[in-house]
Amino acid sequence: DTEVTQTPKHLVMGMTNKKSLKCEQHMGHRAMYWYKQKAKKPPELMFVYSYEKLSINESVPSRFSPECPNSSLLNLHLHALQPEDSALYLCASSQAPQRASGRTSTDTQYFGPGTRLTVL
Amino acid sequence: ILNVEQSPQSLHVQEGDSTNFTCSFPSSNFYALHWYRWETAKSPEALFVMTLNGDEKKKGRISATLNTKEGYSYLYIKGSQPEDSATYLCAHRLISNFGNEKLTFGTGTRLTIIP
């Protein structure tokens, strides 16, 4: 099973709302990622979790708050978003993050189908 | 090359014809090059991970080559079929300062197969 699931598929929210995006995988992966994709642009990395700890934050505004409650789940909490935050949010997971030893060079990131977010 | 660039941006190919497109990436700090196939409303599907200069990988009618010294990879599709219609993304993988992998994506090549 190489499936990464994301809910909801679509989300419309106002600028004062609080909402959350959810991502789940059952492949035993210990690295999970959030990407943001605007129309006609490449996916851009937002956050990386390794072994349930935040390891990379690509200078994302604090109105986006990631959470990794366990090794299978990744959430993205949204608060006070702006219309320009409307985008497709993709979650991905991979087998193992970089370590000093034992890392394979063929780690693939497996992606979910994304949540299409519209901020009004 | 500072970013990952893909060309062409879009491509229309007659069913049965073969086609190819390019991914260009920075040749320094290279770790791996990924290819993904992304159909609308679905998850990006991993096609290949390539690490060695001169690597060639094949999956059915799709193959890819890698030149890490000059910073490019080609994806080839032989005998295109309608189900090949998708956006093909490449992603360049570096080792970040934090020791974790980071993918930098190109904007993709949107392929449409004309029946």
Side-chain angles (χ1 to χ4, degrees):
Chain A
D1 179 14
T2 57
E3 190 179 23
V4 176
T5 58
Q6 288 188 244
T7 54
K9 287 192 172 137
H10 301 275
L11 179 62
V12 179
M13 61 186 290
M15 290 190 282
T16 57
N17 292 155
K18 286 185 182 181
K19 296 285 184 184
S20 297
L21 310 185
K22 182 179 170 182
C23 172
E24 195 164 359
Q25 57 87 15
H26 296 286
M27 294 178 275
H29 290 171
R30 301 307 296 274
M32 295 187 79
Y33 310 79
W34 280 115
Y35 288 85
K36 174 182 178 178
Q37 193 205 21
K38 302 277 283 181
K40 303 195 179 193
K41 299 283 188 183
E44 292 182 348
L45 183 68
M46 299 173 73
F47 302 105
V48 181
Y49 271 83
S50 300
Y51 294 89
E52 295 89 70
K53 293 192 188 311
L54 183 66
S55 61
I56 294 180
N57 176 341
E58 290 286 293
S59 303
V60 179
S62 59
R63 58 186 184 268
F64 295 91
S65 174
E67 179 198 19
C68 190
N70 60 57
S71 61
S72 300
L73 280 175
L74 184 67
N75 298 320
L76 186 63
H77 302 298
L78 314 172
H79 173 54
L81 294 194
Q82 304 297 310
E84 59 264 29
D85 297 321
S86 299
L88 181 70
Y89 289 84
L90 290 161
C91 172
S93 69
S94 67
Q95 193 162 33
Q98 175 76 29
R99 284 290 171 98
S101 63
R103 187 186 185 286
T104 63
S105 62
T106 56
D107 289 349
T108 294
Q109 288 186 20
Y110 294 89
F111 283 83
T115 293
R116 176 74 61 189
L117 174 67
T118 303
V119 182
L120 301 176
Chain B
I1 299 283
L2 297 178
N3 297 314
V4 180
E5 297 173 1
Q6 291 188 246
S7 62
Q9 285 188 2
S10 65
L11 192 55
H12 289 75
V13 174
Q14 202 69 39
E15 182 178 351
D17 287 352
S18 297
T19 187
N20 64 84
F21 26 92
T22 308
C23 172
S24 302
F25 53 86
S27 54
S28 59
N29 295 324
F30 176 84
Y31 195 87
L33 194 282
H34 296 243
W35 280 101
Y36 285 88
R37 179 174 173 276
W38 195 2
E39 289 183 72
T40 304
K42 295 189 178 179
S43 305
E45 174 197 352
L47 289 175
F48 305 113
V49 181
M50 309 180 77
T51 56
L52 298 175
N53 185 45
D55 229 359
E56 182 168 347
K57 300 232 171 170
K58 191 173 179 182
K59 187 177 181 178
R61 294 179 291 99
I62 304 176
S63 61
T65 60
L66 180 67
N67 183 320
T68 60
K69 293 184 179 177
E70 295 182 43
Y72 64 83
S73 175
Y74 293 134
L75 190 81
Y76 300 89
I77 301 178
K78 187 177 176 182
S80 303
Q81 299 297 309
E83 60 265 28
D84 295 330
S85 295
T87 295
Y88 291 82
L89 285 173
C90 70
H92 176 225
R93 191 165 74 177
L94 301 170
I95 297 296
S96 73
N97 292 336
F98 297 96
N100 284 288
E101 55 186 79
K102 175 181 173 180
L103 289 182
T104 300
F105 282 87
T107 49
T109 292
R110 185 174 182 86
L111 176 66
T112 304
I113 306 302
I114 305 164

